[in-house]
Amino acid sequence: MSKGTLFDKVWDLHTVGTLPSGQTQLFIGLHLIHEVTSPQAFAMLRDRGLKVMFPERTVATVDHIIPTENQARPFVDDLAEEMMQALEQNTQTNGITFYNIGSGNQGIVHVIAPEQGLTQPGMTIACGDSHTSTHGAFGAIAFGIGTSQVRDVLASQTLALSKLKVRKVEVNGKLVPGVYAKDVILHIIRKLGVTGGVGYAYEFAGTTFEQMSMEERMTVCNMAIEGGARCGYVNPDQVTFDYLKGRDAAPKGAEWDKAVTWWQSIRSNADAEYDDVVIFDAAEIAPTITWGITPGQGIAVNESIPTPEALSENDRELAAEAYQYMDLAPGTPIQGTKIDVCFIGSCTNGRMSDLREAAKVAKGRHVAEGIKAFVVPGSERVKQEAEAEGLDKIFEAAGFEWREAGCSMCLAMNPDKLQGRQISASSSNRNFKGRQGSASGRTLLMSPAMVAAAAITGTVTDVRTLL
Amino acid sequence: MSQVKTVVGRGVPLVGNDIDTDRIIPARFLRCVTFDGLGAQVFADDRTQMQGQHPFDQPQYQGATLLVVNRNFGCGSSREHAPQAIAKWGIQALVGESFAEIFFGNCVAMGVPCVTAAPADVQVLQEWLAANPQSTATLDLEQKQVQFGESSIPISMGEGARNMFLSGTWDACGQLVAQAEQIQQTAGRLPYLSWSRAS
Ligand code: SF4
């Protein structure tokens, strides 16, 4: 049993009581909703004659279904339009703040809440989306929930949950140039496996995370769920406070000082007890890329696709399925694999620092012939800021398309989709079969800079050769 | 509220590890405001690819209520559309080597128990179902076992969740709402509720 960690402190503070089942009733400080997983929850609420208990603790945006080219209403896709209208109506009827398209605040739910200062240390945060773990970057306990649980939070601002164990995932040292936060988390998932984190919250600790910016920490926490951990977090520090200061929903004046004192106090104690500890060395992490059909099937960019003999017996069956689906042969180098589509965006890597790193690679170069490459900012604010810096011009001059904010081809619920067996270099977080809109489409996950490098050369390329 | 102590019915084996929610219900079917039509779309892409050979299409498994799977079933997205689609197809309980956490939680909230068993036992059960698709098996949450033919395998489930099914308290919503006073008290001691608010 963990003791004295941030997770323990935040959990205890938010505990309402123990339910007859033995589970904890946990108060949720911030509830984020979007168009895909909320309409059925509002319907369930209506069916039971319940009201939203704390409407001011829920914030809505629209991200998954929105087109990134023509956003004129009504949407071309009737079903998308219907979902949009349901969200508009549900938020209006229930007095919930909704950041709609054109508000200047719309974007991927896990991008907008941090950038507006809604996400803060010490909070419990829930959202009907598994990548809610992103918000843990601030030292919040944040996790994804299903629709029935969205209903529970709307109705009671609480959830019935069993406490997680806490694993400290420590990475120490400096990352070499060309290695990014994305590579760190892909490396961790590769080593601990996609189920390694089931039942755990991951505390990301060590000098590597301490040196990371908030955006980098968000990339890491975002993918905790891909390692099976429902939430991941970093203890709040000066980097966190500097990021938050002055943001719309951040405390101001005297309250700011009180807040910082409190945030300091919820950090894991130096003598905290963990259920498990694992340690990695940053110097050993190379640009990492997935070759298969789960985020755990990753290798360094200069490695070859593992042969069955090189894998543990447990992993061979899935590897066999992956060789076939991906049409990649064991033993061949991943570098040089031909790419069709390049996607930069998503809640993993659709923020300013991601676009800046990709733009550095794209600048003064051109997308290889026959490659479709596009950049989708994570939010309206990211888009605006990127344009103010001229990143859009760099990308467009290099042959990338520059789009409106949304989830886009991360899960392809909107018109952005792979076609047939196309293979994509993607900065997103999932490479499952069919994830990017074609039942036979293929995805290689990598950092945004690596995606830009792939776009320029038309093949999987070690970005370090282009820096 | 209804207690869930046993699920009796024919079973369908679905062999494979890491079957994720994108495969259970591809994203294009999430463009909906109700769960109603999802039963027909469950495993849509896998079923198309297997041209009638997917267990959910094979005639001998139609009407099955028990789904028997392998490791890390339901990983990936939090979409409740996935267990909803499985349930709308007719499944009332799942037996597997392991389940992804959010998927498991969604199933609890829907009143669909997911129980785990040792890999070798799961395989035995899958093979038996394939050989005896017309026979019924009994998932017994009280006795913590699945009985089939002359045999049985032990199963496990976290005590919290198991109690919720046995006592009929798996639908937490009413219990949560009933604690309104304690909820307000908890809210009252959170330092941040007053200062952080969407503008
Ligand atoms: S960007 Fe992708 S992972 Fe993130 S919220 Fe949108 S669909 Fe989910």
Side-chain angles (χ1 to χ4, degrees):
Chain A
M1 256 320 213
S2 62
K3 232 167 90 185
T5 68
L6 177 141
F7 186 85
D8 293 284
K9 296 183 197 183
V10 174
W11 183 275
D12 290 347
L13 184 67
H14 290 80
T15 296
V16 174
T18 305
L19 295 163
S21 62
Q23 285 187 305
T24 302
Q25 181 171 7
L26 197 74
F27 189 88
I28 300 303
L30 175 64
H31 184 212
L32 304 168
I33 60 171
H34 58 78
E35 75 282 17
V36 182
T37 54
S38 71
Q40 296 88 348
F42 282 107
M44 292 177 192
L45 217 61
R46 283 192 294 272
D47 283 350
R48 293 173 189 230
L50 293 168
K51 284 206 152 30
V52 180
M53 199 181 266
F54 287 74
E56 73 283 7
R57 301 310 306 168
T58 293
V59 171
T61 189
V62 56
D63 48 10
H64 288 68
I65 49 133
I66 61 171
T68 55
E69 285 181 296
N70 176 8
Q71 297 190 322
R73 298 282 301 276
F75 293 147
V76 177
D77 177 353
D78 292 343
L79 295 172
E81 177 63 25
E82 190 185 354
M83 294 167 80
M84 186 70 175
Q85 288 182 12
L87 185 61
E88 287 172 329
Q89 197 165 17
N90 286 328
T91 49
Q92 202 183 4
T93 324
N94 292 286
I96 292 167
T97 302
F98 174 36
Y99 294 124
N100 206 337
I101 297 174
S103 64
N105 292 322
Q106 175 269 338
I108 306 173
V109 61
H110 311 309
V111 176
I112 66 152
E115 74 187 5
Q116 294 177 32
L118 288 165
T119 301
Q120 294 174 13
M123 284 184 169
T124 45
I125 301 177
C127 172
D129 189 283
S130 55
H131 293 97
T132 308
S133 57
T134 312
H135 306 265
F138 291 79
I141 298 305
F143 40 80
I145 55 177
T147 295
S148 296
Q149 291 173 308
V150 172
R151 169 204 66 199
D152 293 351
V153 179
L154 289 171
S156 72
Q157 205 59 34
T158 63
L159 283 171
L161 292 167
S162 301
K163 197 174 173 192
L164 297 169
K165 293 181 284 185
V166 185
R167 172 180 290 143
K168 181 154 132 178
V169 179
E170 204 176 306
V171 185
N172 294 304
K174 227 170 123 51
L175 296 170
V176 303
V179 176
Y180 305 90
K182 179 66 157 289
D183 302 303
V184 174
I185 188 64
L186 284 174
H187 183 82
I188 292 171
I189 298 169
R190 169 191 183 185
K191 294 294 177 186
L192 300 182
V194 289
T195 59
V198 173
Y200 285 97
Y202 278 178
E203 175 175 309
F204 296 106
T207 56
T208 309
F209 298 117
E210 286 163 16
Q211 285 157 17
M212 281 186 183
S213 69
M214 286 314 295
E215 296 194 355
E216 293 173 299
R217 293 176 188 182
M218 284 188 246
T219 299
V220 171
C221 291
N222 174 274
M223 289 189 70
I225 185 68
E226 306 307 332
R230 200 167 177 185
C231 54
Y233 66 89
V234 178
N235 279 300
D237 59 9
Q238 198 56 45
V239 177
T240 321
F241 310 148
D242 290 347
Y243 177 96
L244 275 169
K245 189 145 199 187
R247 293 197 184 254
D248 313 54
K252 310 262 160 24
E255 279 190 326
W256 171 260
D257 299 322
K258 269 201 295 191
V260 171
T261 309
W262 180 59
W263 293 339
Q264 299 271 20
S265 75
I266 54 156
R267 288 171 53 90
S268 292
N269 298 337
D271 62 354
E273 290 171 26
Y274 297 86
D275 298 285
D276 191 31
V277 178
V278 291
I279 302 177
F280 295 98
D281 179 359
E284 283 173 11
I285 304 175
T288 302
I289 169 170
T290 63
W291 62 271
I293 52 175
T294 80
Q297 290 174 316
I299 49 175
V301 65
N302 46 14
E303 284 179 304
S304 294
I305 293 158
T307 57
E309 299 75 47
L311 295 167
S312 78
E313 207 159 324
N314 251 339
D315 294 334
R316 283 181 201 163
E317 202 179 314
L318 190 70
E321 199 179 329
Y323 301 137
Q324 203 196 7
Y325 183 85
M326 298 299 291
D327 198 13
L328 294 172
T332 54
I334 190 82
Q335 251 192 107
T337 304
K338 208 177 144 350
I339 298 293
D340 301 307
V341 178
C342 292
F343 167 61
I344 295 174
S346 88
C347 59
T348 314
N349 285 126
R351 298 184 181 81
M352 275 310 291
S353 56
D354 303 312
L355 304 191
R356 284 194 195 112
E357 293 301 328
K360 267 189 217 163
V361 176
K363 190 168 185 172
R365 298 190 169 106
H366 205 275
V367 170
E369 199 161 316
I371 304 279
K372 176 186 176 67
F374 62 116
V375 184
V376 185
S379 71
E380 290 183 344
R381 286 198 193 184
V382 169
K383 178 165 191 267
Q384 206 184 8
E385 200 180 334
E387 288 175 356
E389 271 184 31
L391 300 186
D392 58 326
K393 294 283 170 298
I394 295 176
F395 283 122
E396 282 175 343
F400 290 80
E401 294 171 39
W402 177 249
R403 299 288 186 83
E404 304 290 339
C407 294
S408 180
M409 210 180 68
C410 173
L411 95 165
M413 271 182 79
N414 76 343
D416 306 329
K417 294 179 193 332
L418 292 180
Q419 307 294 331
R421 295 188 33 75
Q422 277 183 332
I423 186 162
S424 80
S426 291
S427 74
S428 49
N429 45 50
R430 285 191 174 140
N431 54 343
F432 299 148
K433 287 179 172 178
R435 169 74 178 184
Q436 294 195 286
S438 157
S440 52
R442 299 169 289 164
T443 301
L444 306 177
L445 301 176
M446 59 191 85
S447 72
M450 284 275 289
V451 176
I456 300 301
T457 62
T459 62
V460 172
T461 300
D462 188 338
V463 66
R464 291 174 294 191
T465 61
L466 294 184
L467 290 178
Chain B
M1 183 158 311
S2 52
Q3 298 171 333
V4 182
K5 292 181 173 168
T6 56
V7 177
V8 185
R10 291 188 287 114
V12 48
L14 182 65
V15 177
N17 293 327
D18 303 299
I19 293 182
D20 58 73
T21 50
D22 279 85
R23 280 172 70 187
I24 299 172
I25 187 81
R28 61 181 182 280
F29 299 119
L30 309 188
R31 287 154 49 247
C32 57
V33 293
T34 75
F35 291 133
D36 294 345
L38 294 177
Q41 296 152 346
V42 67
F43 294 111
D45 291 340
D46 285 4
R47 287 163 76 177
T48 308
Q49 247 155 38
M50 291 176 75
Q51 303 175 353
Q53 294 312 300
H54 191 280
F56 275 52
D57 285 325
Q58 289 175 316
Q60 68 269 35
Y61 297 126
Q62 301 309 304
T65 53
L66 274 173
L67 175 61
V68 184
V69 298
N70 298 98
R71 196 177 67 201
N72 197 28
F73 187 79
C75 59
S77 113
S78 66
R79 61 185 73 156
E80 192 168 303
H81 304 67
Q84 290 280 359
I86 291 173
K88 293 260 186 291
W89 186 84
I91 297 299
Q92 294 169 15
L94 288 87
V95 182
E97 292 174 38
S98 64
F99 295 91
E101 224 158 297
I102 301 179
F103 180 88
F104 179 89
N106 283 338
C107 285
V108 172
M110 292 165 52
V112 174
C114 297
V115 300
T116 57
D121 289 340
V122 169
Q123 198 185 335
V124 168
L125 178 56
Q126 285 178 329
E127 283 166 5
W128 184 85
L129 291 174
N132 303 277
Q134 298 308 325
S135 310
T136 57
T138 302
L139 187 161
D140 188 332
L141 271 181
E142 270 178 325
Q143 301 297 322
K144 295 201 246 184
Q145 59 179 7
V146 179
Q147 292 141 355
F148 49 99
E150 301 293 297
S151 346
S152 73
I153 56 167
I155 55 168
S156 51
M157 178 182 242
E159 278 309 294
R162 182 166 159 265
N163 286 337
M164 291 164 90
F165 286 109
L166 293 179
S167 60
T169 54
W170 50 266
D171 185 342
C173 194
Q175 299 166 50
L176 296 175
V177 174
Q179 304 303 315
E181 208 171 302
Q182 286 88 331
I183 294 170
Q184 292 294 350
Q185 275 171 18
T186 307
R189 63 169 193 259
L190 297 175
Y192 61 81
L193 284 208
S194 57
W195 76 56
S196 76
R197 187 160 291 174
S199 36

